[in-house]
Amino acid sequence: MGVNLQPGQPLAIASSPDHEALVRALTAEAWAAGADEVDVLYSDQHVRRELILHGSEEALTRTPAWLLRRAEELVERRSAVISTTGDAEPHLLADLDPGRVGRTRMPELTEFWWEAIDGGQVSWCVFGFPNEGWARTVFGEPDVERLWAAVATAVRLDEPDPVAAWREHVAKLRARGEELARCRFDALRFRGPGTDLTVGLNPGSLWPVEARTAWGVPFVPNIPTEEVFTTPDWRRAEGIVRATRPLALPGRSVIVSDLELRFEQGRIVEVSASSGEEVVRAQLANDDGAACLGEVALVDGTSAVGRTGLTFFNSLFDENATCHIAYGRAYAEAVEGAVGMSPEGQRRLGVNQSTVHTDVMVGGPEVEVDGLPGAGAAVPILREDVWVLEALATG
Amino acid sequence: MGVNLQPGQPLAIASSPDHEALVRALTAEAWAAGADEVDVLYSDQHVRRELILHGSEEALTRTPAWLLRRAEELVERRSAVISTTGDAEPHLLADLDPGRVGRTRMPELTEFWWEAIDGGQVSWCVFGFPNEGWARTVFGEPDVERLWAAVATAVRLDEPDPVAAWREHVAKLRARGEELARCRFDALRFRGPGTDLTVGLNPGSLWPVEARTAWGVPFVPNIPTEEVFTTPDWRRAEGIVRATRPLALPGRSVIVSDLELRFEQGRIVEVSASSGEEVVRAQLANDDGAACLGEVALVDGTSAVGRTGLTFFNSLFDENATCHIAYGRAYAEAVEGAVGMSPEGQRRLGVNQSTVHTDVMVGGPEVEVDGLPGAGAAVPILREDVWVLEALATG
């Protein structure tokens, strides 16, 4: 499962020095699984903090040529790529200028990876590594053992045969995705406290679950994953939505609480939050597509992540606890015929383009989700966190 | 002093995750000093261990293209480059196949850096970061505070004005180097217990102390430095030498004890050691120049490192405690007219070429060092660790 490393394939690991114990274990396992090479790149959030504090505006968005060269080399060599998450210091950037925090990114590198991922040019996987700082954020105390137990539940390591459990789980998600694809809804509607949002879909919206490299190797990009997702039409979101969980901005060590967004003709036109609002505003201003939707994903109450009852303050986990939308870049693979198109062509088709991609959790027991056909009555998909679409479709 | 970072200059830091506290402090200081960029690359010795354990023979000597591209970019941008030492786990590779340990290296990258350094294309500096593992190696217990005190003495941080102390110290070394250059010795001779070695010099041998970039910025490549050094003629070493201190092979986490070498016509023809012998043999077999000398350096008993009375099990420190020779690659800058020559031209001139460079400590109170003129009597340089050349030359 996961990155599904093949014998003879190179593996690259992108991680934090805070995760070195995991990195070392992964490296040993990868060689044992027949890796041709294991290349580790550590990124230090403290170094990023100093950049945000002191760098010129130009430096904030600089992609070093060698880093792009490294990405190209990984793609040329059909590598597997693992990224680890689990922020040991999730408030590290909280005292910095939020505009600079939101602007700091490497657009060329992000763009390169999005295209490589859309084209299936690498197998990749993201997962989390429990550590003291992350545990303190979740529990208020550095109880790493408790976080390990929660993560083990969330990623099905507590099953007697985790790999078999994953196979079964992926098959269940695949069936949901296929059902949604058959329904060919024109839009999805979310209704709940503070939320009434309609998200227009593309005529060719797909609901892929398992990813596959261009050379045919299946992999699971997120561990955990509990979602079925698609690429909405970036021009057709309308209404308001209230985030149902706090949002830890990936790579930014900033937590956004009580986020509310209002959409008009696809675009976010109002933002409010009790913390992190300015960082979100800076992100939305980064480029033209940042304020439009790139993803909508459905998750029900059977989610192994959701069943832990925890907020992980980590998007990888929290987005798999409940339904979510993402502003910014869309996955071309989730729209028929979009892979391989030019960015402008994808945009015309309805596939959003941006150097931002931020997931916002919007689901939960109080939020109803319906599928809206082009004509006719709304079709319930989720009620009180229960997946009801299958029963209706097959009943 | 040290790397002498200039406003607007990019800084690259090569370090270990074990040194992250130092890296973070350096990053902040560099921005404060006006760096244009701070680029940190962490290398994890555990990842290297797994490579040596499991990688193919070809993988052991592979230079990733991106790493070479990074080095090129640093040179193109006239960067400053800092490397940190202080091995937290100096025995980490001790149980591995010594042949594979000795063969593992990146020849293309090493070659690139040697040429960049010879050409003054970067300013660079290496220094040490005290940590528990290193302290345990030196004192038998993880007394980091005591190691900090020793390092502070060794690098003159215990002086009231360390920068002024360094300026004075470098001026003293420069005077020694100039005196040695005036003497134009044909060879140096080391005599002591187990040692009678004659090292032939080049007619154009220089004794540089301070380095200087091609664009004229002075820097001190090693903190500490206590040596005056030159590039010997790789064809003209004869005799035997016994190492006077154990040798921690840089980047290899292997300690070589009781090393003895015998030279014939410049080449090491016999090797023995009570530990690490096989790793040294593997290094010497790496290429044609590995078994010939690339450096000879003189250090007296006033060395701030030597006065700590400690063996640091770290070449940067131990080589600055006493006289040393290095097998492998030579510094072209220490021979008149060699910089800019082709590798083959340098070799003909007497400047050794190799992808190896390993320092071996050979000095101490019991070792006499003489300068041998082309004709006439030997001239004493060091007696009982006292520098006696100046007195003679000016007396």
Side-chain angles (χ1 to χ4, degrees):
Chain A
M1 303 309 298
V3 78
N4 196 10
L5 182 75
Q6 301 294 301
Q9 192 179 22
L11 173 68
I13 303 174
S15 192
S16 153
D18 299 318
H19 301 168
E20 64 178 19
L22 174 65
V23 167
R24 292 166 180 182
L26 282 171
T27 302
E29 285 298 318
W31 283 115
D36 174 58
E37 180 173 310
V38 183
D39 175 16
V40 173
L41 192 67
Y42 286 111
S43 300
D44 187 337
Q45 194 74 340
H46 283 260
V47 172
R48 187 180 173 94
R49 178 182 161 87
E50 296 300 327
L51 166 67
I52 297 169
L53 270 172
H54 302 291
S56 66
E57 274 296 322
E58 189 263 331
L60 298 185
T61 56
R62 198 184 281 159
T63 299
W66 66 268
L67 211 46
L68 202 55
R69 182 70 199 95
R70 176 172 179 272
E72 287 165 358
E73 195 178 351
L74 294 178
V75 163
E76 284 160 15
R77 299 182 62 200
R78 295 186 165 188
S79 303
V81 179
I82 287 176
S83 306
T84 68
T85 74
D87 200 337
E89 294 171 275
H91 300 285
L92 186 66
L93 308 184
D95 61 328
L96 303 188
D97 174 345
R100 288 174 62 86
V101 173
R103 284 195 295 281
T104 300
R105 65 206 197 285
M106 294 184 184
E108 289 93 340
L109 191 66
T110 306
E111 191 58 41
F112 179 87
W113 276 123
W114 275 100
E115 286 183 21
I117 284 171
D118 275 344
Q121 296 180 296
V122 290
S123 58
W124 60 283
C125 185
V126 186
F127 45 81
F129 180 60
N131 56 62
E132 286 195 3
W134 185 14
R136 197 179 292 112
T137 313
V138 179
F139 302 120
E141 55 183 356
D143 190 342
V144 179
E145 218 166 301
R146 191 170 159 207
L147 182 57
W148 260 116
V151 165
T153 300
V155 305
R156 297 184 156 72
L157 276 179
D158 60 352
E159 299 275 353
D161 182 344
V163 172
W166 266 98
R167 293 224 167 92
E168 192 182 323
H169 173 59
V170 168
K172 185 186 84 175
L173 293 179
R174 194 187 299 120
R176 280 188 188 171
E178 286 166 359
E179 182 62 25
L180 281 162
R182 270 195 295 276
C183 291
R184 293 216 168 264
F185 291 124
D186 175 64
L188 300 178
R189 186 171 179 191
F190 296 82
R191 278 178 308 172
T195 291
D196 188 351
L197 177 69
T198 300
V199 178
L201 302 186
N202 286 298
S205 276
L206 302 171
W207 295 82
V209 170
E210 224 176 6
R212 196 170 286 271
T213 64
W215 55 97
V217 176
F219 62 97
V220 180
N222 288 354
I223 300 283
T225 185
E226 297 284 344
E227 66 178 25
V228 286
F229 80 98
T230 194
T231 289
D233 183 341
W234 61 269
R235 296 158 294 206
R236 292 178 54 222
E238 295 289 341
I240 56 170
V241 66
R242 179 182 293 173
T244 50
R245 291 169 181 248
L247 163 62
L249 289 179
R252 274 159 220 288
S253 305
V254 168
I255 291 170
V256 180
S257 304
D258 305 311
L259 180 64
E260 296 190 356
L261 304 170
R262 190 164 72 78
F263 290 81
E264 272 182 22
Q265 297 184 354
R267 188 168 292 274
I268 296 168
V269 292
E270 277 179 33
V271 178
S272 72
S274 63
S275 75
E277 179 178 314
E278 290 309 312
V279 179
V280 172
R281 285 186 191 281
Q283 278 197 309
L284 296 176
N286 273 336
D287 55 44
D288 197 49
C292 298
L293 289 185
E295 181 185 348
V296 57
L298 302 180
V299 179
D300 73 357
T302 65
S303 159
V305 184
R307 278 181 294 138
T308 64
L310 295 172
T311 296
F312 285 88
F313 296 92
N314 178 312
S315 273
L316 173 65
F317 287 79
D318 292 330
E319 74 168 27
N320 280 303
T322 191
C323 298
H324 55 275
I325 56 178
Y327 55 81
R329 175 80 188 218
Y331 292 93
E333 66 179 284
V335 176
E336 271 173 21
V339 170
M341 264 192 179
S342 71
E344 193 39 48
Q346 289 189 358
R347 202 173 124 80
R348 273 198 303 271
L349 200 62
V351 178
N352 197 34
Q353 306 294 309
S354 176
T355 56
V356 170
H357 178 98
T358 296
D359 295 282
V360 181
M361 282 63 76
V362 301
E366 298 183 305
V367 180
E368 297 186 344
V369 184
D370 289 339
L372 308 183
V379 178
I381 301 175
L382 280 163
R383 287 294 181 271
E384 293 177 353
D385 255 354
V386 176
W387 192 267
V388 293
L389 177 65
E390 286 159 302
L392 286 168
T394 58
Chain B
M1 303 310 298
V3 78
N4 196 10
L5 182 76
Q6 301 294 300
Q9 192 179 23
L11 173 67
I13 303 174
S15 192
S16 153
D18 300 318
H19 301 169
E20 64 177 21
L22 174 65
V23 167
R24 291 165 180 182
L26 282 171
T27 301
E29 284 299 318
W31 283 114
D36 174 59
E37 181 172 309
V38 183
D39 176 14
V40 173
L41 192 67
Y42 285 112
S43 300
D44 187 338
Q45 194 73 340
H46 283 260
V47 172
R48 187 179 172 95
R49 178 182 162 86
E50 296 300 328
L51 166 68
I52 296 170
L53 270 172
H54 302 291
S56 66
E57 273 296 322
E58 189 263 331
L60 298 185
T61 55
R62 198 185 281 159
T63 299
W66 66 268
L67 212 46
L68 202 55
R69 182 70 199 94
R70 176 172 179 273
E72 288 165 359
E73 196 178 351
L74 294 178
V75 163
E76 283 160 16
R77 298 182 63 200
R78 295 187 164 188
S79 303
V81 179
I82 287 175
S83 306
T84 68
T85 73
D87 200 337
E89 293 171 274
H91 300 285
L92 186 65
L93 308 184
D95 61 328
L96 303 188
D97 174 344
R100 289 173 63 86
V101 173
R103 284 195 295 280
T104 301
R105 64 206 198 286
M106 295 184 183
E108 289 95 338
L109 191 67
T110 306
E111 190 58 40
F112 179 87
W113 277 122
W114 275 102
E115 287 182 20
I117 284 170
D118 275 343
Q121 297 180 297
V122 290
S123 57
W124 59 283
C125 184
V126 186
F127 45 81
F129 180 59
N131 55 63
E132 286 194 4
W134 185 14
R136 197 178 295 113
T137 311
V138 178
F139 302 120
E141 55 182 356
D143 190 342
V144 178
E145 219 165 301
R146 191 170 159 207
L147 182 56
W148 259 116
V151 165
T153 300
V155 306
R156 297 184 156 73
L157 276 179
D158 60 353
E159 299 275 353
D161 182 344
V163 172
W166 266 97
R167 292 225 167 91
E168 192 182 322
H169 173 59
V170 168
K172 185 187 85 175
L173 294 179
R174 194 188 298 119
R176 281 190 188 170
E178 286 166 359
E179 182 61 25
L180 281 163
R182 269 195 297 276
C183 291
R184 292 214 169 266
F185 291 124
D186 175 65
L188 300 178
R189 186 170 179 192
F190 296 83
R191 277 178 306 171
T195 291
D196 188 351
L197 177 69
T198 300
V199 178
L201 302 186
N202 286 299
S205 276
L206 303 171
W207 296 83
V209 170
E210 224 176 6
R212 197 169 284 274
T213 63
W215 56 98
V217 176
F219 62 96
V220 179
N222 288 353
I223 300 284
T225 185
E226 297 284 344
E227 66 177 26
V228 287
F229 80 96
T230 194
T231 289
D233 184 341
W234 61 271
R235 296 158 294 206
R236 292 178 52 223
E238 295 288 343
I240 56 170
V241 66
R242 179 181 294 173
T244 50
R245 290 170 181 248
L247 163 62
L249 289 179
R252 273 156 223 288
S253 304
V254 168
I255 292 170
V256 180
S257 304
D258 305 309
L259 180 65
E260 295 189 358
L261 303 171
R262 191 165 70 78
F263 290 81
E264 271 183 23
Q265 298 184 351
R267 188 168 293 273
I268 296 168
V269 292
E270 277 179 32
V271 179
S272 72
S274 63
S275 75
E277 180 179 313
E278 290 308 313
V279 179
V280 172
R281 286 188 190 280
Q283 278 197 310
L284 296 176
N286 273 336
D287 54 45
D288 197 50
C292 298
L293 289 184
E295 181 185 347
V296 58
L298 302 181
V299 179
D300 73 357
T302 65
S303 159
V305 184
R307 278 181 295 137
T308 65
L310 295 172
T311 297
F312 285 87
F313 296 92
N314 178 312
S315 274
L316 173 65
F317 287 79
D318 292 329
E319 75 167 27
N320 280 302
T322 191
C323 298
H324 54 276
I325 55 178
Y327 56 81
R329 175 81 188 217
Y331 292 93
E333 66 179 286
V335 176
E336 271 172 20
V339 170
M341 263 192 179
S342 72
E344 193 37 49
Q346 290 189 358
R347 201 171 125 70
R348 272 198 304 272
L349 201 62
V351 178
N352 197 32
Q353 306 295 307
S354 175
T355 56
V356 170
H357 178 99
T358 296
D359 295 283
V360 181
M361 282 62 77
V362 300
E366 298 184 304
V367 180
E368 298 186 344
V369 183
D370 289 339
L372 307 183
V379 179
I381 301 175
L382 281 162
R383 288 293 181 271
E384 293 178 354
D385 255 355
V386 176
W387 191 269
V388 293
L389 178 64
E390 285 159 304
L392 286 168
T394 59

